[in-house]
Amino acid sequence: MLPVNTCGGVRLHEPVVQIMRNSSSSDRVLGIASIFAGMVVVAATIGIVFLGAERLLRSDTEAAAVKWAENVLANAPDFDAILAGETPSERNLDFLSIALRGGDIFRFKIYDAEGRLLRVSDDMAAGGSDPAAPDGQRIEFAPPVLAGKVYSQARKGTPPGRPEFYTEAFVPIVDQQGDILAVIDIFVDNTQRRALYLQWLAGILGALLIIAAMGVAVPATSLWIRTRQKRVAEQHLRFLAQHDTLTGLANRTRFLENLTEALESHAEEGRQLALHFVDLDRFKEINDAFGHSEGDAYLRDIAERLSKLVDRPEYLGRLGGDEFAVIQPELSGVKHGEMYAERICSALTGTYDINGYEVVSTASVGVAVAPQHGTSAAQLLRSADVALHQVKFAGSNAIGVYTADLDDLLKRRLALQTDLRKAFENDWFSLHYQPQYNLKTRRLTGFEALLRMEHPDRGFISPADFIPVAEEIGLIVPLGEWVLYEACRTAVYWPDHIALSVNLSPAQFRRGDMPKIVENVLRQTRLAPHRLGIEITEGLLMESSQGVLDQLQEIRELGVALVMDDFGTGYSSLSYLWQFSFDTIKIDRSFVHALGSGSNVESLLQSIINIGESLDLRVVAEGVENVEQAHFLMANSCRHVQGFLFGRPVPEGDVTAIIEKDLRNAETTPNESGRPSRHTVAA
Ligand code: C2E
Ligand code: MG
Ligand code: MG
């Protein structure tokens, strides 16, 4: 037996995270690499500039020393005497001490060609006499000096009293042949020059850094930005590939991956989980009636309601259309799953305001439990789908748990779907007509058209079996239209007082064009509208959407009678019967069959008949099979009957005989007592 439960009403309000973002470590790596490359370039630039500046400083210093030496050579009186080791003259000493005061030269030493120190300027600078160099003090000249070139060495502040930065430049004095005559060791104070160079260096560096930034950092940064944009775009694409763009929920592929992961982790821990397959009951109708953008908004609303129910966003997905799925982890048992499914159902049940219309929304849920109903994502989804199918088939707005026998049911239904499609193409459908009588006058009043499907192998299949399947696959719409046309085309040849009843399914009202179809058929077949009755079941009124009610009104306005079929099996409001000017109610045959069973059905039937009378409705009792039932109905003023006692449904070809028989009976004297007699009225 199918475990189908009607939805209960618990609501959850739990926060949920919709979309998770991925952060990329490779972005960071690329950023760090760019910064590192920039730093290397900057360091190299500083190094190059610094070395260049040092070189310039050195050659500048050497040039200053050479210039000073040339000046001394050209202008110092008796300089030859000094080189010859003689004591300098007074004039010479004055010149040299003056020469020491100007410029950056603060000290000098004069060596002979062998490196013997001849003079040191220290005392001269102090204004004293110029002592000869200590005896025997001799140095080795550096190779460049010996080659006749200037050679310099940078020095720093030592010994105490010296400038902070200075250079010792050895300037060789050579004769015409290039032989060294003497070497002047010139001490140049570089402190200011160096500061100037550093300033200059800083300027150059700044400029170079800007160039480096333009040349390296800018391309590196733009590369980094481009890579990052690409990565973000990739992430976006990946998100789109895995998520439903409308609701942001995991799409089918992603959801099945999540389900697989959940199944594996639960299997490892020996735990159960439930899969809930959710389907909205009237989505197509809402989409058709209000348009796709309203349909989308409705779906987003549904997704939000479901999001509030689940703890982890990856446990919720949209499988497509109006189908959603929820993973319920750590299940304690099937009952636990059922309770959760009811919560889902009630969270989605409610009224929605769409363009000022109040739309009632309900949902159906199929539940499958792992590992019992499937150990893989595909198996579990299939089981939940089978359970959902059954819920839908049984009337929607409910939950159902998978059971093994549902598989057979589904298979049979699928086979029937195939048969139905074939039937339509291969003319397996036909109509039978069941007569209806006035119990009091015993006259034939009309026929109900009943659809038949004759399968070449399986014989007649009951409409009770195939009509719901035809509704499910949408075949009922063309099929129902065919029934209406065929029945009207047949009935137009019957005498005027013989009415025709045609059953319409609620699914035929969904497109909203039922009044138009009825009108067209009546026009094409030329059947007078007052001879046609449209039978609908209470289920249609239970949907009670404005669209359905409007259509009923329009059909009524065509002059066609409205017949409430199977009365008593649903719970349609009596006020509707009156409001929509129903002409007839047909008491369901289950009440008639229950007569004499000891139940209280007699008084129930009496009150239905009384209500009908008081609302001025024609009351027809269905399924009258025996004389006792007919007696009861007659005694309780039920005028109209239909049932095997009076006539079974017959093919079109047999209808004429029934009509002719009734006409013959009419010519004979009616039975005064009005008592029904099997002999006179049964077909
Ligand atoms: P319904 O409209 O209530 O039709 C009356 C059903 O009761 C018919 O079953 C008829 O054969 C059966 N019946 C009549 N008298 C007796 C009786 O004395 N005893 C018993 N046990 N049954 C009796 P049928 O032809 O199998 O149709 C079943 C249902 O299928 C119909 O119930 C109707 O709801 C649906 N149906 C039939 N034809 C059509 C159709 O053309 N369109 C739609 N939408 N539904 C149809
Ligand atoms: Mg009927
Ligand atoms: Mg009926």
Side-chain angles (χ1 to χ4, degrees):
M1 188 51 207
L2 171 74
V4 172
N5 304 336
T6 313
C7 294
V10 190
R11 270 232 180 164
L12 265 194
H13 295 284
E14 288 165 18
V16 72
V17 181
Q18 281 280 13
I19 296 166
M20 293 188 305
R21 289 175 193 280
N22 293 338
S23 71
S24 158
S25 59
S26 51
D27 274 354
R28 271 198 299 278
V29 171
L30 190 69
I32 290 168
S34 305
I35 292 169
F36 184 73
M39 281 165 64
V40 168
V41 169
V42 168
T45 310
I46 292 174
I48 290 166
V49 170
F50 189 76
L51 283 177
E54 281 295 326
R55 222 194 179 97
L56 276 176
L57 183 63
R58 188 178 180 152
S59 68
D60 197 16
T61 308
E62 286 174 357
V66 169
K67 203 169 171 200
W68 187 84
E70 283 170 355
N71 183 31
V72 168
L73 272 185
N75 301 311
D78 310 327
F79 198 71
D80 294 347
I82 295 175
L83 295 183
E86 294 170 16
T87 309
S89 67
E90 203 58 32
R91 279 178 58 226
N92 198 323
L93 281 176
D94 284 350
F95 177 84
L96 289 176
S97 57
I98 289 168
L100 264 185
R101 262 180 245 138
D104 302 324
I105 315 300
F106 65 92
R107 191 177 187 233
F108 66 86
K109 290 180 183 174
I110 301 172
Y111 294 94
D112 67 10
E114 273 72 45
R116 269 185 300 271
L117 184 59
L118 300 176
R119 290 285 176 261
V120 176
S121 68
D122 294 349
D123 276 0
M124 268 189 275
S129 64
D130 179 33
D135 279 348
Q137 189 171 346
R138 191 172 178 273
I139 60 162
E140 288 290 327
F141 293 126
V145 178
L146 294 174
K149 289 185 180 146
V150 180
Y151 170 73
S152 65
Q153 275 183 327
R155 308 252 184 241
K156 255 189 189 173
T158 49
R162 297 272 169 91
E164 197 180 350
F165 295 99
Y166 66 95
T167 299
E168 232 184 304
F170 292 85
V171 181
I173 312 294
V174 291
D175 62 13
Q176 300 287 334
Q177 284 72 43
D179 293 333
I180 295 174
L181 297 176
V183 173
I184 311 180
D185 179 9
I186 302 165
F187 289 70
V188 188
D189 179 356
N190 269 340
T191 313
Q192 270 188 11
R193 199 187 309 260
R194 201 168 192 283
L196 260 173
Y197 268 94
L198 281 179
Q199 227 172 12
W200 174 78
L201 183 74
I204 299 253
L205 259 184
L208 282 177
L209 277 180
I210 290 171
I211 293 166
M214 306 284 281
V216 177
V218 170
T221 312
S222 87
L223 174 73
W224 178 70
I225 290 172
R226 271 211 314 275
T227 315
R228 196 178 155 69
Q229 279 173 342
K230 198 172 137 225
R231 211 165 292 281
V232 169
E234 273 169 8
Q235 268 176 22
H236 193 63
L237 280 178
R238 201 168 38 241
F239 183 84
L240 287 183
Q242 296 180 339
H243 292 82
D244 162 43
T245 39
L246 181 68
T247 60
L249 303 183
N251 64 13
R252 192 184 189 91
T253 318
R254 181 74 198 146
F255 181 80
L256 287 181
E257 284 167 12
N258 295 344
L259 179 59
T260 305
E261 280 168 25
L263 280 170
E264 281 167 7
S265 66
H266 277 69
E268 271 169 25
E269 294 160 16
R271 310 186 82 155
Q272 298 180 320
L273 69 74
L275 175 67
H276 301 267
F277 200 141
V278 184
D279 186 280
L280 306 177
D281 289 336
R282 298 173 61 200
F283 178 67
K284 195 181 171 315
E285 231 177 287
I286 290 172
N287 223 15
D288 290 348
F290 298 101
H292 285 232
S293 65
E294 294 298 336
D296 286 354
Y298 174 66
L299 284 175
R300 273 196 292 269
D301 197 6
I302 294 289
E304 222 173 289
R305 289 182 187 217
L306 284 172
S307 295
K308 288 183 181 149
L309 272 184
V310 294
D311 293 331
R312 297 172 57 172
E314 65 270 32
Y315 282 177
L316 170 64
R318 180 174 171 225
L319 303 186
D322 60 344
E323 291 175 351
F324 296 82
V326 180
I327 299 168
Q328 181 190 4
E330 290 152 27
L331 195 77
S332 62
V334 173
K335 191 85 208 133
H336 188 193
E338 281 177 344
M339 280 161 60
Y340 193 76
E342 276 171 6
R343 269 163 56 185
I344 292 176
C345 231
S346 65
L348 302 187
T349 301
T351 50
Y352 289 77
D353 184 345
I354 303 183
N355 284 349
Y357 284 91
E358 260 200 2
V359 176
V360 182
S361 134
T362 57
S364 304
V365 183
V367 187
V369 172
Q372 297 94 306
H373 305 149
T375 47
S376 72
Q379 276 174 349
L380 203 62
L381 190 68
R382 196 195 156 274
S383 300
D385 193 15
V386 169
L388 176 68
H389 250 84
Q390 188 54 36
V391 173
K392 288 291 222 190
F393 193 71
S396 304
N397 188 19
I399 69 146
V401 180
Y402 172 82
T403 51
D405 56 339
L406 289 183
D407 278 326
D408 292 337
L409 265 176
L410 185 68
K411 271 181 211 145
R412 281 210 296 277
R413 228 168 35 236
L414 290 177
L416 200 50
Q417 286 182 5
T418 316
D419 284 345
L420 275 173
R421 291 203 172 93
K422 278 193 208 156
F424 209 60
E425 289 156 16
N426 299 328
D427 286 343
W428 294 350
F429 289 117
S430 63
L431 288 183
H432 279 198
Y433 297 87
Q434 185 175 28
Q436 295 171 338
Y437 288 92
N438 181 320
L439 206 47
K440 194 164 180 205
T441 63
R442 293 179 1 229
R443 291 293 308 272
L444 178 71
T445 54
F447 289 90
E448 178 179 6
L450 293 163
L451 187 58
R452 295 289 175 263
M453 178 169 100
E454 190 176 7
H455 192 279
D457 306 324
R458 292 161 55 202
F460 279 106
I461 298 174
S462 164
D465 290 335
F466 71 75
I467 293 274
V469 181
E471 285 177 345
E472 197 185 10
I473 60 174
L475 193 77
I476 192 68
V477 175
L479 186 58
E481 204 174 322
W482 177 83
V483 170
L484 187 65
Y485 181 84
E486 273 300 300
C488 291
R489 191 188 57 79
T490 306
V492 81
Y493 298 107
W494 302 340
D496 272 354
H497 70 280
I498 306 290
L500 166 72
S501 266
V502 177
N503 295 282
L504 291 191
S505 152
Q508 289 175 262
F509 284 82
R510 299 220 169 106
R511 287 206 320 208
D513 58 355
M514 210 52 233
K516 198 98 237 112
I517 292 173
V518 174
E519 194 182 359
N520 284 345
V521 168
L522 288 174
R523 202 179 50 243
Q524 284 165 13
T525 58
R526 295 172 191 278
L527 184 76
H530 73 268
R531 293 184 56 202
L532 176 64
I534 293 295
E535 293 197 11
I536 58 159
T537 53
E538 288 170 305
L540 181 70
L541 291 188
M542 276 154 66
E543 287 190 11
S544 78
S545 81
Q546 194 57 42
V548 170
L549 301 181
D550 287 348
Q551 289 180 70
L552 288 179
Q553 192 69 49
E554 275 181 60
I555 292 174
R556 186 70 192 82
E557 281 161 12
L558 290 173
V560 173
L562 295 182
V563 181
M564 172 58 60
D565 204 357
D566 304 344
F567 187 77
T569 52
Y571 40 86
S572 64
S573 145
L574 285 172
S575 68
Y576 275 135
L577 296 178
W578 181 75
Q579 188 185 339
F580 291 97
S581 315
F582 271 83
D583 300 84
T584 305
I585 50 175
K586 293 178 79 174
I587 302 174
D588 191 66
R589 60 176 182 268
S590 57
F591 295 104
V592 179
H593 290 176
L595 280 172
S597 63
S599 59
N600 220 5
V601 74
E602 282 80 4
S603 58
L604 187 73
L605 273 175
Q606 275 164 351
S607 41
I608 292 176
I609 295 164
N610 290 341
I611 287 169
E613 256 181 7
S614 61
L615 290 174
D616 205 17
L617 295 169
R618 198 164 155 261
V619 179
V620 180
E622 283 189 294
V624 185
E625 291 182 351
N626 57 48
V627 179
E628 290 70 33
Q629 291 163 350
H631 273 301
F632 174 87
L633 292 165
M634 199 158 156
N636 286 281
S637 312
C638 179
R639 289 278 175 82
H640 302 274
V641 284
Q642 178 180 346
F644 294 167
L645 177 66
F646 305 101
R648 288 179 177 266
V650 295
E652 184 190 337
D654 297 350
V655 169
T656 322
I658 295 173
I659 296 173
E660 282 172 358
K661 190 172 179 186
D662 174 67
L663 292 174
R664 277 199 307 277
N665 281 341
E667 286 161 14
T668 63
T669 319
N671 183 341
E672 284 303 311
S673 68
R675 283 175 54 166
S677 140
R678 184 184 282 268
H679 177 71
T680 51
V681 294

